Amino acid sequence: MKYYLIAGEASGDLHASRLMQCLKSEDKDARFRFFGGDLMSAVGGTRVKHYKELAYMGFLPVLLHLRTIIQNMKLCKADIVSWQPDVVILVDYPGFNLRIAKYLRRKTRIPVYYYISPKIWAWKEWRVKAIKRDVNEMFSILPFEVSFYEERHHYKIHYVGNPTVEEVAQFLEGYRETYDTFCHRYGLDPQKRIVALLAGSREQEIKDNLPAMIEAARACCGPQASFQMVLAGAPSIGQECYSPYLAGSNVVKVDNETYSLLAHSTAALVTSGTATLETALFNVPQVVCYKTAVPRLARWGFEHVLKCDYISLVNLVAGREVVPELFADRFSVPNITNELSKILPNQPARDAMLRGYEDVRTLLGHAVAPQNAARIMVSLLRQRATGRI
């Protein structure tokens, strides 16, 4: 069968590439055409556009590149119609993908599957109307989305498991480096434990969060202390972004080794995002830190505009506060220092958090998300081809 996939950013490229590999194992005749990245290209098929030509975020960048965005949209629509795939698989990236879904419903009979739901439960919940109307099947990687879609909006979806669970498990299964060896590679003291700093994957996040993280962690990571700070460098961020904050500090930075760092960490300060879930799956107690502009207004917006109770995936999955969330008006160096001190070894809050992580793992389950999704997708498409659905 012919599969047309659309991924608009680096994370989408990763998840789509793994889905493509699994589709190939379920369908030996699978053929691919896609908007995506290098990881998808490595699996095979024809790349029409690289996601870097699509990924404009924020009002001003979108406005400045509006003509390019419109041209890419037209190209995508025309290319799908010309190739006539058996299915179009959208991967997150809702601003672009939901417009493609709307067009396909109106102009074609090509089914639309969505792998990794947009986070409409947090923002722009009205988009659920378009999803119910234009998307044939939704494949979710977050268990709480089942009740959101099925109970709140009466739209049946497939929870296929969370890919981060498998990614972390696979890493740990094959990781053999000792703590002493890791410390030796980066000039760290093997007699001291590591406090990891995961300051985000975007420049603005790093500028906003890293200085306070470093200052807060200094209390327990000074020259005479038994802990040391290690920063996880984001893959797409250059050293020049970090240098102003690391100069004169005792922070060691490691690049492209976030999983290795977490495997050896005692505690972590983490900017909200997938990193919070990864940290939990490595069983590393954490404090979630996220600075916002106009903190009081941001707090008001969170409590009155956003439709969710938490900002971290750990708490969202658990449905309760497992990890402290210090954002908006709660983001401050004293607050971060205080919460960090509570999760260091031999502290009661640490044990309570680790018990909460067990609940999160149970809720996420152990299904291999891309393999599960591929199996269901191929089954549905074969039923469709034989007229059974």
Side-chain angles (χ1 to χ4, degrees):
M1 286 184 283
K2 296 162 66 175
Y3 303 85
Y4 200 109
L5 296 94
I6 306 173
E9 52 197 349
S11 61
D13 180 37
L14 170 63
H15 293 308
S17 68
R18 299 186 70 238
L19 177 63
M20 289 165 65
Q21 290 173 332
C22 294
L23 286 168
K24 287 174 70 174
S25 71
E26 295 288 332
D27 177 7
K28 64 181 180 61
D29 297 318
R31 296 164 56 193
F32 302 110
R33 193 171 177 89
F34 54 89
F35 277 45
D38 299 336
L39 295 175
M40 296 170 73
S41 294
V43 177
T46 301
R47 186 174 73 204
V48 182
K49 280 278 185 179
H50 199 287
Y51 70 79
K52 291 180 180 178
E53 299 178 66
L54 308 177
Y56 303 109
M57 298 183 65
F59 177 77
L60 186 57
V62 168
L63 187 63
L64 292 174
H65 296 92
L66 188 58
R67 184 174 181 179
T68 300
I69 293 170
I70 293 172
Q71 288 175 340
N72 285 334
M73 188 81 65
K74 288 181 178 179
L75 170 62
C76 186
K77 292 173 181 176
D79 194 59
I80 292 171
V81 171
S82 174
W83 199 55
Q84 283 295 301
D86 292 284
V87 65
V88 171
I89 302 173
L90 311 175
V91 184
D92 202 356
Y93 200 55
F96 188 95
N97 277 336
L98 287 177
R99 288 176 172 83
I100 295 297
K102 181 179 180 179
Y103 171 82
L104 294 175
R105 180 189 63 83
R106 287 182 171 182
K107 301 295 184 180
T108 76
R109 296 177 60 85
I110 300 169
V112 174
Y113 293 176
Y114 217 125
Y115 181 59
I116 304 180
S117 167
K119 297 176 179 62
I120 60 170
W121 35 265
W123 182 247
K124 298 183 179 179
E125 187 173 349
W126 50 265
R127 279 177 163 167
V128 74
K129 294 180 180 179
I131 289 173
K132 292 174 67 175
R133 182 189 65 222
D134 301 330
V135 175
N136 298 80
E137 303 286 345
M138 174 67 74
F139 298 83
S140 164
I141 63 169
L142 294 170
F144 61 86
E145 289 180 336
V146 176
S147 61
F148 172 81
Y149 278 108
E150 296 189 355
E151 296 175 15
R152 185 164 177 166
H153 293 289
H154 310 291
Y155 176 67
K156 188 172 178 57
I157 68 170
H158 309 273
Y159 173 64
V160 294
N162 190 284
T164 305
V165 174
E166 183 203 6
E167 289 159 11
V168 171
Q170 284 186 338
F171 175 85
L172 288 173
E173 185 179 350
Y175 189 62
R176 297 292 181 268
E177 186 174 36
T178 66
Y179 186 75
D180 283 0
T181 303
F182 180 81
C183 288
H184 178 74
R185 283 202 293 123
Y186 287 104
L188 296 164
D189 185 348
Q191 301 304 313
K192 294 184 176 182
R193 297 178 178 180
I194 290 173
V195 173
L197 309 179
L198 280 64
S201 57
R202 299 187 178 97
E203 286 194 18
Q204 193 58 53
E205 289 177 334
I206 294 162
K207 292 175 181 177
D208 288 344
N209 295 292
L210 184 57
M213 286 179 165
I214 293 174
E215 187 177 350
R218 274 202 182 105
C220 64
C221 299
Q224 306 303 317
S226 57
F227 299 93
Q228 54 196 332
M229 286 182 281
V230 182
L231 169 67
S236 58
I237 305 297
Q239 179 63 29
E240 66 278 1
C241 179
Y242 295 101
S243 295
Y245 314 113
L246 301 184
S249 75
N250 58 343
V251 179
V252 174
K253 175 172 169 281
V254 303
D255 292 313
N256 301 316
E257 287 209 63
T258 300
Y259 278 14
S260 298
L261 171 58
L262 287 173
H264 294 301
S265 294
T266 293
L269 301 179
V270 186
T271 298
S272 184
T274 304
T276 63
L277 192 57
E278 292 171 327
T279 303
L281 291 171
F282 275 93
N283 228 32
V284 179
Q286 65 185 295
V287 179
V288 176
C289 315
Y290 202 90
K291 185 177 181 180
T292 63
V294 198
R296 290 184 180 179
L297 180 60
R299 173 63 60 183
W300 183 92
F302 177 77
E303 293 178 350
H304 296 89
V305 178
L306 294 185
K307 303 294 185 179
C308 55
D309 295 327
Y310 306 103
I311 65 168
S312 69
L313 286 176
V314 175
N315 291 345
L316 285 164
V317 170
R320 60 185 175 88
E321 186 177 277
V322 172
V323 299
E325 298 181 345
L326 304 180
F327 76 103
D329 57 332
R330 297 174 190 168
F331 180 96
S332 70
V333 170
N335 284 350
I336 298 170
T337 302
N338 180 51
E339 293 296 339
L340 176 60
S341 69
K342 294 178 182 178
I343 60 171
L344 294 177
N346 303 316
Q347 298 300 315
R350 179 183 182 89
D351 294 334
M353 191 177 296
L354 293 176
R355 289 193 297 271
Y357 284 175
E358 288 294 329
D359 294 339
V360 170
R361 278 190 282 270
T362 299
L363 289 165
L364 289 171
H366 299 286
V368 179
Q371 191 68 58
N372 200 19
R375 177 182 56 78
I376 298 170
M377 288 178 182
V378 171
S379 175
L380 289 171
L381 289 170
R382 285 173 176 161
Q383 290 179 55
R384 183 185 181 91
T386 58
R388 283 184 285 167
I389 59 171

